[in-house]
Amino acid sequence: MFDIPSNMLLLKQALKWGVTHWDTADCYEGGRSEEGIGMFFTRYPETREKVFLVTKSDARDPGGMTSLLNRSLERMKTDYVDLYFIHGIKDIDELNNDTQRWAKQAKDQGKIKFFGFSTHRNMEQCMLAAAKLGWIDGIMMSYNFRLMHEGKMKAAVDAC
């Protein structure tokens, strides 16, 4: 969200074109990305149910995740996000039993529908380990065409 008025037009057109998966993070443009989405939903409240809304947080502890999720909800002028990611994990050990309890509680409260993480390194290891946990709903990773044909990556995708 570099230019909020222009982006209002872009988001409206995106919906007309069928772009309904919107991804942001609490840290994108210092929060302005979430604020721009919030301005859009304030102006066009009927569109919220058409959008699969994803946001991310850098927090790892339950208190920080709660604080940042609540701030994201306020910025985006919505009661829930469809998918909430812990942003940029390097190792699955960054998620633990406290994280699992937090995700369940946020779901039970209706603040999130799904929970997962994004990763940009050690992707195969993170994906393989997440598949064994059984409580990760989604994973966002960087895409590399060459890497997608490697045996370890194929095994990680199959496991997920």
Side-chain angles (χ1 to χ4, degrees), residues 7-22 40 51:
N7 280 309
M8 294 297 108
L9 295 172
L10 182 63
L11 292 173
K12 190 172 184 178
Q13 186 61 45
L15 280 175
K16 285 182 184 177
W17 287 335
V19 179
T20 58
H21 182 273
W22 293 6
F40 185 84
V51 172

Side-chain angles (χ1 to χ4, degrees), residues 56-104:
K56 302 175 219 57
S57 165
D58 289 324
R60 303 294 193 263
D61 65 288
M65 290 187 295
T66 297
S67 176
L68 293 180
L69 173 59
N70 288 337
R71 184 177 72 181
S72 292
L73 294 172
E74 174 59 32
R75 283 177 175 170
M76 294 188 292
K77 306 300 183 206
T78 186
D79 296 331
Y80 70 97
V81 293
D82 295 285
L83 178 54
Y84 193 70
F85 283 130
I86 300 302
H87 196 28
I89 73 164
K90 297 174 185 114
D91 189 283
I92 200 68
D93 291 340
E94 294 178 52
L95 309 179
N96 56 37
N97 290 335
D98 289 339
T99 312
Q100 182 182 16
R101 282 190 290 277
W102 181 89
K104 183 181 180 325

